[in-house]
Amino acid sequence: MKFTELGLGPNIQKAVAAQGYETPTPIQAQAIPAVLKGRDVMAAAQTGTGKTAGFTLPMLELLGGSSARPKAQAKGNPVRALVLTPTRELAAQVGENVAIYSQHMPIKSTVVFGGVKINPQMMRLRGGVDILVATPGRLLDLHQQGALHFKDLEILVLDEADRMLDMGFIHDIRKILKLLPDNRQTLMFSATFSKDIRELAKSLVNDPIEVSVSPPNSTAKRVKQWLCPVDKKQKAPLLIHLIESNDWQQVLVFSKTKHGANKLVKQLDAAGLRAAAIHGNKSQNARTKALAEFKQSKVRVLVATDIAARGLDIDQLPQVVNFDLPQVAEDYVHRIGRTGRAGAEGAAVSLVCADEIDMLREIERLTKTIIPREEHVGFEPIHTLPDSSLDARPRPSRSPKKPRQNRPNRQQTKGDGRGQSQKPAAKSGKGPLAKKPGGNSSGKISNSRRRSGANSKPKGPQGSGGNRGGQ
Ligand code: AMP
């Protein structure tokens, strides 16, 4: 399949070619013809699949492609196509994409989101726009102030619909839907199609074509994942060690809390690693600046809370670190979707401490993947993690941690993913997180520990195809 075969006009094809895209991604190949037919579309696609172009390109074609229909110019500031996104960052990125893909067309587009002054946004809406990319709250404010109307709306795109629901935007979305004409075309993109999303879809789309490129809740295919068992207090030193010893130059680190993110930035800075935080307490300007500096490689480590987990379009981000596991298992999938994007490989490592075992189990169940373990010399935790969270039975209660000297006398432990036989010493841990007697009794997938005598540079998963356990 080529872009020339999709029914897009020459101006759009020119812009796509300038981006260096040679072939449409699977979601583009499926969604573009469906949208061009004028059908409603429900697409299951996570960030990194090329979904933004999947809805933007045909939308541009419909709004004013090869037939070059005149752009919106009417009273009361009409909007012809509305793209709703859950976060400001995603809105800005979609807006950038729209501008790039429409650069050879008479299309006027703009982006509005909260956290910045409303007046310049009102000015940009004067005379109407062909495409408006917006977050829900600010859009409603602007509508209330008469800065725009939807009487002429032709297309609605709901981007990252599942995230919208997670972030509590359902009421705002319902309010917005009431303002829109019924005879519009609606495109709904979501990483997953949960029951809630299907419920929302009922009031949103009409006889939709469903397209899907990856099974729901599967983690991005080109991402190599592994985890480092480590005690909580050792996480920051281990992160610094990993960055330095692997020479990672661009690392996105996820922290559970804003406070934790700020603290980690200080620790990284103190270690000489330039870092910045991006989370809800930062002003929009600070967030934009941090992201820009990260993209330009002025900042080596970007520490983010889950607000940044979706939609950050950072090309070919090689490395994601879960400093803390997320609070919701689905967020693991979204977080590591930041790496291994279209055409690029990525790696995601999670630093997992004893408190996080339950969440680890949930993540492994959700993704149907046993994340390979890899301990690092000098950072071994007091208690070993269970070999396979998928195999683990519920634990009745936690017993107190055993002191370090009670552990089996481990030497060097490193993993390459799987398939290595378990040495007796590693089996004998008796703490609550220790491997059960008989260990991997299901015989599904064995633990990834491997002994090697030397304290050599920790081996990342790169180049080790065996690191993707259980898929
Ligand atoms: P998205 O899933 O929309 O966030 O897109 C992920 C990344 O894929 C972006 O950096 C796009 O620039 C890139 N991309 C989109 N379409 C293609 C394509 N057909 N070929 C190569 N890269 C693409």
Side-chain angles (χ1 to χ4, degrees):
M1 174 73 77
K2 290 188 180 137
F3 272 106
T4 45
E5 298 166 37
L6 286 174
L8 299 166
N11 287 334
I12 298 175
Q13 287 186 37
K14 200 160 117 185
V16 165
Q19 289 303 298
Y21 305 165
E22 287 167 7
T23 49
T25 64
I27 194 73
Q28 292 163 0
Q30 292 181 56
I32 292 173
V35 179
L36 289 179
K37 274 186 208 149
R39 294 284 301 272
D40 282 4
V41 170
M42 273 174 80
Q46 60 196 70
T47 306
T49 55
K51 67 182 172 68
T52 315
F55 62 75
T56 305
L57 302 180
M59 181 167 72
L60 288 170
E61 179 66 31
L62 292 174
L63 290 175
S66 31
S67 58
R69 284 156 55 187
K71 66 179 178 185
Q73 30 162 279
K75 287 181 209 154
N77 311 335
V79 175
R80 294 179 63 204
L82 172 65
V83 183
L84 282 176
T85 73
T87 64
R88 302 159 184 182
E89 284 80 9
L90 184 60
Q93 282 164 202
V94 172
E96 270 174 37
N97 283 332
V98 170
I100 289 169
Y101 300 139
S102 65
Q103 60 187 298
H104 305 298
M105 301 173 71
I107 286 279
K108 182 179 169 191
S109 65
T110 193
V111 183
V112 297
F113 47 70
V116 293
K117 283 182 189 155
I118 199 165
N119 279 6
Q121 296 180 349
M122 294 173 95
M123 302 285 280
R124 293 203 301 273
L125 287 165
R126 282 208 183 143
V129 291
D130 295 293
I131 301 177
L132 176 62
V133 185
T135 51
R138 178 54 60 95
L139 183 76
L140 283 168
D141 285 350
L142 284 161
H143 185 267
Q144 210 167 14
Q145 298 195 33
L148 50 87
H149 73 76
F150 299 116
K151 286 177 211 148
D152 303 317
L153 191 93
E154 296 164 48
I155 303 171
L156 167 69
V157 182
L158 203 61
D159 195 12
E160 304 202 346
D162 48 349
R163 192 63 168 173
M164 295 264 198
L165 296 191
D166 290 349
M167 292 176 70
F169 283 130
I170 185 68
H171 299 297
D172 282 351
I173 291 171
R174 293 214 184 278
K175 275 189 214 162
I176 292 166
L177 287 179
K178 281 191 191 143
L179 305 172
L180 308 182
D182 286 339
N183 61 350
R184 57 168 203 267
Q185 182 179 6
T186 304
L187 319 176
M188 187 169 166
F189 282 72
S190 186
T192 57
F193 275 122
S194 62
K195 237 174 81 191
D196 287 350
I197 291 288
R198 291 201 175 270
E199 195 55 41
L200 173 67
K202 281 185 196 161
S203 56
L204 206 72
V205 288
N206 179 18
D207 187 23
I209 294 182
E210 289 197 24
V211 300
S212 170
V213 287
S214 60
N217 295 334
S218 71
T219 43
K221 293 228 163 39
R222 293 169 66 93
V223 179
K224 288 169 184 153
Q225 307 166 59
W226 77 108
L227 67 81
C228 298
V230 63
D231 287 331
K232 203 183 229 161
K233 288 205 169 121
Q234 286 290 93
K235 281 189 175 189
L238 175 57
L239 175 64
I240 291 163
H241 168 75
L242 286 170
I243 294 171
E244 286 176 342
S245 60
N246 291 295
D247 199 25
W248 291 335
Q249 291 301 324
Q250 198 184 35
V251 193
L252 180 60
V253 176
F254 284 99
S255 154
K256 197 160 59 183
T257 63
K258 297 165 194 171
H259 172 71
N262 290 339
K263 188 172 154 198
L264 184 57
V265 164
K266 281 191 193 140
Q267 288 169 302
L268 291 164
D269 274 337
L273 299 171
R274 204 158 165 226
I278 180 165
H279 56 64
N281 278 5
K282 295 268 174 187
S283 71
Q284 185 56 39
N285 284 344
R287 285 154 66 171
T288 308
K289 181 167 173 265
L291 184 59
E293 291 191 339
F294 183 61
K295 283 184 177 185
Q296 296 156 12
S297 300
K298 286 184 192 159
V299 161
R300 189 165 169 186
V301 190
L302 188 65
V303 185
T305 53
D306 279 296
I307 192 153
R310 287 290 202 89
L312 286 185
D313 181 13
I314 304 158
D315 276 347
Q316 310 198 340
L317 185 62
Q319 191 63 54
V320 164
V321 178
N322 291 311
F323 189 79
D324 304 306
L325 288 182
Q327 312 215 9
V328 183
E330 280 81 3
D331 276 342
Y332 178 84
V333 181
H334 303 316
R335 284 180 176 191
I336 73 166
R338 306 299 85 236
T339 181
R341 324 208 61 188
E345 288 223 331
V349 58
S350 302
L351 312 188
V352 182
C353 68
D355 298 352
E356 295 173 302
I357 296 307
D358 291 341
M359 181 46 68
L360 175 62
R361 286 196 175 119
E362 275 188 44
I363 290 168
E364 294 196 325
R365 269 189 213 118
L366 178 78
T367 59
K368 298 188 176 64
T369 303
I370 295 166
I371 305 170
R373 277 79 167 137
E374 184 172 313
E375 285 187 1
H376 283 270
V377 178
F379 299 96
E380 301 91 336
I382 289 174
H383 295 295
T384 53
L385 299 178
D387 283 353
S388 154
S389 299
L390 289 181
D391 293 342
R393 311 285 181 282
R395 286 166 292 119
S397 64
R398 283 168 187 239
S399 55
K401 286 183 177 182
K402 296 223 178 274
R404 206 165 256 270
Q405 60 269 29
N406 282 0
R407 281 183 303 143
N409 180 23
R410 277 193 249 135
Q411 309 156 17
Q412 179 87 6
T413 48
K414 282 193 233 163
D416 68 348
R418 51 189 285 193
Q420 300 293 328
S421 62
Q422 186 80 41
K423 291 275 166 62
K427 271 193 186 175
S428 60
K430 290 199 181 75
L433 304 177
K435 195 172 184 285
K436 293 188 302 298
N440 198 11
S441 54
S442 74
K444 277 185 197 161
I445 291 177
S446 74
N447 192 15
S448 60
R449 294 199 189 89
R450 178 170 49 120
R451 308 231 165 213
S452 75
N455 187 359
S456 57
K457 189 177 162 187
K459 184 171 175 263
Q462 287 87 342
S464 169
N467 261 309
R468 289 185 57 76
Q471 289 237 70

